[in-house]
Amino acid sequence: MKKVELLNFTTLYRFGKPFETEATVIEKNLLVFNKTSTIEFFEINVLSDKTILTFKLEDKDRVYGLGQTLGGLNKRGKRYKLYATDDPLHTPEKESLYGSHPFLIVSEKFGFFIDYPSEIIFDIGYTKFSKMIITVHSKDFDLYIFNSKNNLEIIQEYLKLTGTPYIPPKWAFGYQQCRWSYPDAKTIKEISENFRKKEIPCDAIYMDIDYMKDYKVFTVDEDKFPDFKTFVSEIHANGFHLIPILDPGVKIEKGYEIYDEGVKNNYFCKDKKGENFVATVWPGYTHFPDFLNPEVRKWWGEKYKRFFEMGITGFWNDMNEPSIFFVPDNLNEYFEKIEKLKEKEIGLEFFMIKDEAVNLSNKREYYESFYHETPYGKYTNDELHNLYGYYMTKATVEDGFNKYISNKRYLLLSRSSYSGHHRIATIWMGDNMSWWEHMIVNIQMLMSLNMAGFFYTGADIGGFGANASPELIIRWMQLGVFSPLYRNHSAIGTRQQEPWAFDNYIEEIMKNTIKLRYALIPYLYSEFFSSVEKLKPFISPIFFHFDDETSKNIEDQFMVGDSIMAAPIIKPNARGRFVHLPEVKWLYWKASKVEDREIKVYDSGDYFVESNLNEIPIFIKENTLIALNEENINYVNEKNIKELTIIGLVTDKAEFEYFEDDGDTYNYKDGKYTKIKIKVVKNNNDYEFEIKKDENEDFISSIEKIKFEIYDEKGSKINKIIEL
Amino acid sequence: MKKVELLNFTTLYRFGKPFETEATVIEKNLLVFNKTSTIEFFEINVLSDKTILTFKLEDKDRVYGLGQTLGGLNKRGKRYKLYATDDPLHTPEKESLYGSHPFLIVSEKFGFFIDYPSEIIFDIGYTKFSKMIITVHSKDFDLYIFNSKNNLEIIQEYLKLTGTPYIPPKWAFGYQQCRWSYPDAKTIKEISENFRKKEIPCDAIYMDIDYMKDYKVFTVDEDKFPDFKTFVSEIHANGFHLIPILDPGVKIEKGYEIYDEGVKNNYFCKDKKGENFVATVWPGYTHFPDFLNPEVRKWWGEKYKRFFEMGITGFWNDMNEPSIFFVPDNLNEYFEKIEKLKEKEIGLEFFMIKDEAVNLSNKREYYESFYHETPYGKYTNDELHNLYGYYMTKATVEDGFNKYISNKRYLLLSRSSYSGHHRIATIWMGDNMSWWEHMIVNIQMLMSLNMAGFFYTGADIGGFGANASPELIIRWMQLGVFSPLYRNHSAIGTRQQEPWAFDNYIEEIMKNTIKLRYALIPYLYSEFFSSVEKLKPFISPIFFHFDDETSKNIEDQFMVGDSIMAAPIIKPNARGRFVHLPEVKWLYWKASKVEDREIKVYDSGDYFVESNLNEIPIFIKENTLIALNEENINYVNEKNIKELTIIGLVTDKAEFEYFEDDGDTYNYKDGKYTKIKIKVVKNNNDYEFEIKKDENEDFISSIEKIKFEIYDEKGSKINKIIEL
């Protein structure tokens, strides 16, 4: 891995006295630090309680970024409020989701990052068609301006500033099965056995909130999971990783270790009166650990040890916006209002009854009413609101993993996050729905989150809420082949989404789809490492790769690494889709199974390409290569890869760098990996094949043979095998 | 207008003793009446309380119809519950909307209509990928099977059975402005004057619920509308139609005419105890008129006279599912539940509090608890639920318009409807949202409703709920150019959507867009009449016109009449879109203004066509013609049309039949209209122009001149003027 270089076109403008969020990793004195009152690009208005930054948008300006937000890839035309919120209904008008990533690119002009941990509103050509109006609800924040016209350079600069993206273990590139909730050990065992019996590859099974005793964090319900340790080791022995959920809210219950310790040591957030703040979440009345306090993080991080000791290296930290169902006093106020209403004939007051009930959750005033004791002083949660999830994750990583299993790579998902989070863990996209409309949201958010450094991320495949139809689950599983995090998840009360939950026809397609994903892992894993090394999004819009005008309009196709363009079918009943194939020739692999390769060459242009329900459109860029592992495997680490199949359309020359390490540790940082450089050169009608191995004696690759399947512009195939 | 012919491939299967819904207009003895136990296409299971019809779907089967439902144009992959429901949040998983149109086409196989006025569930490849499972919650219903493989023939047969589509007055093809609510006469006057001052054409302004005194139907609030009669005549004199809303719920208030008469004459629906049923809607506690009783309809229809006398000929009947906010007893039960909860620490019971509050509206049990006295006996509303809106509309039409202003055409929108409704009035699409995702829903529903005979219909342009962005309002207004009902509507608390509600740049585009619509009215009105005459959907999918495979996948392009294919931009920030141009050549008119005609010829194929924010993609089919009125007008009936501009790409021959009548009466039925047959024939490089007038002495057309603008395959233009 390369060292981060000094930033060379970034200016820091400091407003007031910002809180040190730990979003960034660079010493501020390595930056151009600018205190002038005029700021390039923005007109600035500092008001008594907020600062307004205005940028004049030209018609041609496109705006990208904001990480985890709804709205298109191009963020113009909407208003976004970055204030972490647990909103389970992602309808298009929603302004807030779970995290905050205030990093934006104005295409071909500049980029910027506002390091401020509470509410920022981005009104991007929404109130006024030609204005981006940003309202920072403070006078204390850092504004970084990345003065480059190149999208990729801006992202690289942002990542140098905020840190190199997190790399999960290799098994995290396998398929993962989740459900709220698999009720007990027996069910999880059955599911794991079903995967193996049916030879559907799978690497991880999640445990949602019901594995806990009364939703108490760091407990396991012994009725449902008797002898949990043995259960975990059995599941692990079968090639699965078990991934428990953890919530920040600590149940108020005397005798419960976490509660008792938290109270005793003053680890919980206080309310205005100095009492432990009470909020209602899954366990009922709870207190929130004050993760902004380093001592609390140390305490919390240590608690994960019980799981580490069982070999658990995957977790998801949930509800850490933090989500609040209600605060008891506010519920009582609601009851009092109702009491008063009851005395008269109720008409339209009814809407108050409905709306107030709904609005009792996640009220802003709750966050204004509890406090954090930080190394820099006392703050309300509201003032640092967007940091809570990030700091819970810091506890897990810096005071958990890094201390107790420091050379072990982990899979860690958090729901809430802030800029910088991407260097220690990742997020998933939260509670989406089994809606076709959420497939394009998945794609757009993959690209936006990649720009913000969350290279490894993903949505709940098949949709979390609502019911999936057989066709939707297929098409979403197909989209998921290209999603770094490939996790199928569904909510309580909705239709099951395991591969066998539908009929045989659907199961067969899902199985082939998952197998295709596993075959692609050599490509995906190599390209992922390369992306991190180059600080270049793993999942990216096609206009990051091509300069033509049409590409700028395309938000439902995306590049996966440098060779593959995915163009998933995301509409019901479609037996094909429009694709834009920019600038070069493309191999169209209409993939139904790994081994059935219907491949055709397309010239650049616009097409309606056909694709049956069982077929996944994969486009491979001219003069690039992809690498497949065609052997059947049940999970990523089941067998060493012995053969690679290399596919490409070569009209001049093409290269691919295969990367392999132990997949599980940080030893790659010490050079313990193998890189195999594979090159195909076309000379007239002849092809030359070159293989160069860069191997470290402490990590020897298992690859013995490389099979080439190279196509020319007419679609004729040349096969070649090289033994290593 | 042609007479309806006898049906020639329809079989009626009667189950039990169905209620006479008045969906159909044909004497049943003119039909093949089949009592056999085996039924073609379906496997039938009659159970104790329901009947299940199962059809095996093949992979290639496509299913169309169901009128007003969410889900794609092809209805496969979803579950639909036809039970009229006021649901203001049209998210994709919703199974019920406001109406019921149980008519379906299984493409290239057959069609069918289930005449049953309560709940029917259509599970179309949702539970099982390859099965359509229909559950009729009764043993008494009529099943009509249309045994044809031709989509259009099936629709024609359905329309012969259920009646010829309603034709609104010509002014209803103009632009219409709505808002919940323009608060008073002054505001409405200002708006009407603004349209005229700014020379933005407009034909109608709506009055939403706040014009009434305390939401009492058939009243006008005199504080807000002093001297209502004069106000109406002034608005009308300025070329606008004023369209008031009417709700069925009658406020319980002694001394209020409608209430007093209803009580006195026993016109209201009764509850189980025989008392007038109490439901809470806008006015507070109300009673529902029993529209299933002919005497009640007669009474209700007469009430409209007060408006007729002021020259009002447009209404919208709202809330007629009927929507019920809550029933007082149920609200009290809710309060009692809360009372009990208060005694303990509330945790997850909170969700009950929230959910029950939300679910107090439109509960099924409400509809089971009140009764209709029909000519065929007493029924619960639940048993005849889907007829309520239709029968309210029957009262308006058959006992209102037809009796008191019988030769006057009217614009009548209803929110709820049933099959058959389309022959006396229309519906709008209900409470959509300012979501880009609802533009495709608008398009798909236009096509599905057209199949069900609602040729003249439309969605709230710009979206009703949530806030429109400047770009969304532009793109939706552009889509609306092709929507028969062209009404911009927005809800209380959301951003205003009048053309001048945004900045000047947006206003200018909206103005040009509306003017383009007015220019197209000669084409739209002629083709609309022709569609009704031929019983052929006015708005139709492209695969109704072309046989190629790709067309079957296209749900976001549509034919408007026989010459125009609309391909609106329905994605944010797009400066173009993919289009499929089937089989023939097409003229692409990138329309920004009527007079600026950037026109290009395209061969059949798939393209990404560019279109700036101010440009509307219009495609004109090879060898067809369209007719424009290029003169500026402020409203449809302001001036007689003197000149027509005819545009087309003619490579062989093309014809267009221009239709004109008084636009306001039924005199066209007596032949009082003019048809001008316009024909262009290409012979080598020469064109012949033919004009044939079919004129009735009682209606003389005002057209004096026809200007031709004809393109050849290379895009060269030939101009020709013919004076009449």
Side-chain angles (χ1 to χ4, degrees), chain B residues 271-527:
Chain B
D271 65 16
K272 286 179 179 164
K273 295 180 204 143
E275 309 282 321
N276 291 326
F277 175 71
V278 179
T280 313
V281 211
W282 292 118
Y285 289 2
T286 67
H287 296 320
F288 289 138
D290 182 3
F291 294 121
L292 274 292
N293 176 343
E295 205 189 325
V296 176
R297 292 203 296 279
K298 204 177 143 200
W299 166 66
W300 189 265
E302 195 268 344
K303 295 293 167 203
Y304 288 80
K305 255 176 71 183
R306 63 193 70 187
F307 292 122
F308 299 156
E309 282 161 3
M310 298 179 202
I312 291 178
T313 55
F315 298 94
W316 43 327
N317 289 342
D318 197 17
M319 302 291 285
N320 51 11
E321 294 73 23
S323 178
I324 296 177
F325 295 161
F326 65 92
V327 162
D329 285 351
N330 294 62
L331 185 63
N332 289 332
E333 275 173 34
Y334 172 68
F335 289 154
E336 279 162 29
K337 271 190 200 161
I338 285 184
E339 201 58 43
K340 276 183 201 151
L341 277 178
K342 279 157 73 175
E343 289 151 25
K344 50 168 281 198
E345 179 187 314
I346 295 173
L348 299 184
E349 300 82 1
F350 170 66
F351 291 104
M352 186 283 284
I353 297 174
K354 277 216 278 203
D355 293 350
E356 292 222 358
V358 171
N359 293 334
L360 272 171
S361 296
N362 306 317
K363 272 172 133 48
R364 185 72 175 255
E365 62 183 85
Y366 301 160
Y367 302 109
E368 289 163 348
S369 70
F370 67 95
Y371 294 84
H372 295 292
E373 292 288 352
T374 85
Y376 316 103
K378 188 173 167 183
Y379 289 83
T380 62
N381 174 272
D382 182 66
E383 290 170 296
L384 307 177
H385 182 72
N386 295 334
L387 297 180
Y388 194 75
Y390 175 31
Y391 276 66
M392 180 186 183
T393 298
K394 280 169 93 76
T396 313
V397 174
E398 295 167 1
D399 298 286
F401 289 119
N402 293 357
K403 279 193 189 147
Y404 303 104
I405 43 170
S406 61
N407 196 32
K408 196 90 177 156
R409 273 149 64 193
Y410 50 84
L411 175 57
L412 179 59
L413 313 178
S414 170
R415 198 166 67 189
S416 188
S417 65
Y418 184 69
S419 290
H421 188 127
H422 68 272
R423 68 179 180 267
I424 57 168
T426 192
I427 56 172
W428 80 103
M429 295 177 189
D431 296 346
N432 63 358
M433 300 283 267
S434 296
W435 294 344
W436 289 93
E437 290 77 355
H438 273 179
M439 290 177 71
I440 180 72
V441 170
N442 182 347
I443 293 173
Q444 290 162 334
M445 215 185 277
L446 268 180
M447 293 190 266
S448 295
L449 279 171
N450 262 260
M451 292 181 200
F454 293 86
F455 287 5
Y456 179 90
T457 182
D460 287 349
I461 301 291
F464 178 68
N467 293 316
S469 71
E471 198 187 350
L472 178 130
I473 193 75
I474 290 295
R475 292 303 197 191
W476 212 328
M477 285 291 288
Q478 292 176 342
L479 159 58
V481 165
F482 308 105
S483 173
L485 167 63
Y486 190 21
R487 183 177 83 144
N488 176 332
H489 186 24
S490 58
I492 197 164
T494 69
R495 198 170 185 179
Q496 296 276 140
Q497 290 181 184
E498 297 77 25
W500 50 83
F502 300 82
D503 45 38
N504 291 342
Y505 177 62
I506 303 301
E507 181 181 328
E508 186 65 21
I509 300 176
M510 284 175 86
K511 179 177 174 175
N512 289 331
T513 302
I514 296 171
K515 288 174 82 165
L516 185 75
R517 161 66 173 231
Y518 277 77
L520 281 165
I521 287 178
Y523 173 78
L524 297 173
Y525 191 68
S526 302
E527 287 289 285

Side-chain angles (χ1 to χ4, degrees), chain A residues 59 72 74-78 89 91-93 95 125-130 215 251 280-285 325-326 331-332 334-336 338-339 341-342 344-348 350-351 353-354 357-361 433-437 440-441 466-471 495 502-503 505-506 549-550 552-557 571-580 606-608 610 613, chain B residues 59 72 74-78 89 91-93 95 125-130 215 251 280-285 325-326 331-332 334-336 338-339 341-342 344-348 350-351 353-354 357-361 433-437 440-441 466-471 495 502-503 505-506 549-550 552-557 571-580 606-608 610 613:
Chain A
D59 274 18
N74 183 345
K75 309 312 286 184
R76 273 189 86 153
K78 232 195 108 161
L89 189 69
T91 44
E93 83 286 8
E95 298 180 344
Y126 164 76
T127 297
K128 293 282 171 195
F129 183 70
S130 299
Y215 307 117
K251 187 174 177 63
T280 314
V281 210
W282 292 118
Y285 289 2
F325 295 162
F326 65 92
L331 185 62
N332 289 332
Y334 173 68
F335 289 156
E336 280 162 28
I338 285 184
E339 201 57 43
L341 277 177
K342 279 158 74 174
K344 50 167 280 193
E345 181 188 315
I346 296 174
L348 300 184
F350 170 66
F351 290 104
I353 297 174
K354 276 215 278 203
V358 171
N359 293 333
L360 272 171
S361 296
M433 300 283 267
S434 295
W435 294 344
W436 289 93
E437 289 78 355
I440 179 72
V441 170
N467 294 314
S469 72
E471 198 188 349
R495 197 169 186 181
F502 300 82
D503 45 38
Y505 178 62
I506 302 300
E549 276 304 305
T550 300
K552 295 173 186 164
N553 288 284
I554 306 298
E555 301 203 349
D556 61 355
Q557 303 173 205
K571 288 183 186 169
N573 296 307
R575 292 298 174 263
R577 61 161 285 167
F578 288 108
V579 285
H580 174 60
D606 299 305
Y607 300 92
F608 187 93
E610 285 173 13
L613 185 56
Chain B
D59 273 19
N74 183 345
K75 309 311 287 184
R76 271 188 89 151
K78 233 195 107 161
L89 190 69
T91 44
E93 82 286 8
E95 298 180 343
Y126 164 75
T127 297
K128 293 281 172 197
F129 183 70
S130 300
Y215 307 118
K251 186 173 177 64
T280 313
V281 211
W282 292 118
Y285 289 2
F325 295 161
F326 65 92
L331 185 63
N332 289 332
Y334 172 68
F335 289 154
E336 279 162 29
I338 285 184
E339 201 58 43
L341 277 178
K342 279 157 73 175
K344 50 168 281 198
E345 179 187 314
I346 295 173
L348 299 184
F350 170 66
F351 291 104
I353 297 174
K354 277 216 278 203
V358 171
N359 293 334
L360 272 171
S361 296
M433 300 283 267
S434 296
W435 294 344
W436 289 93
E437 290 77 355
I440 180 72
V441 170
N467 293 316
S469 71
E471 198 187 350
R495 198 170 185 179
F502 300 82
D503 45 38
Y505 177 62
I506 303 301
E549 275 304 305
T550 300
K552 295 172 185 163
N553 289 284
I554 307 297
E555 302 201 349
D556 60 357
Q557 303 172 207
K571 289 184 186 170
N573 296 307
R575 293 297 174 264
R577 60 161 286 167
F578 288 107
V579 286
H580 174 60
D606 299 306
Y607 300 93
F608 187 92
E610 285 173 13
L613 184 56

Side-chain angles (χ1 to χ4, degrees), chain A residues 305-346:
Chain A
K305 257 175 72 182
R306 64 194 69 187
F307 293 122
F308 299 156
E309 281 161 9
M310 297 179 199
I312 291 177
T313 55
F315 298 93
W316 44 328
N317 289 343
D318 197 16
M319 301 291 283
N320 51 11
E321 294 73 24
S323 179
I324 297 176
F325 295 162
F326 65 92
V327 163
D329 285 351
N330 294 62
L331 185 62
N332 289 332
E333 275 174 33
Y334 173 68
F335 289 156
E336 280 162 28
K337 272 190 200 162
I338 285 184
E339 201 57 43
K340 277 184 200 153
L341 277 177
K342 279 158 74 174
E343 290 152 22
K344 50 167 280 193
E345 181 188 315
I346 296 174

Side-chain angles (χ1 to χ4, degrees), chain B residues 13 72 110 173 298 564 586:
Chain B
Y13 297 88
F110 73 112
F173 287 85
K298 204 177 143 200
I564 288 181
W586 296 82

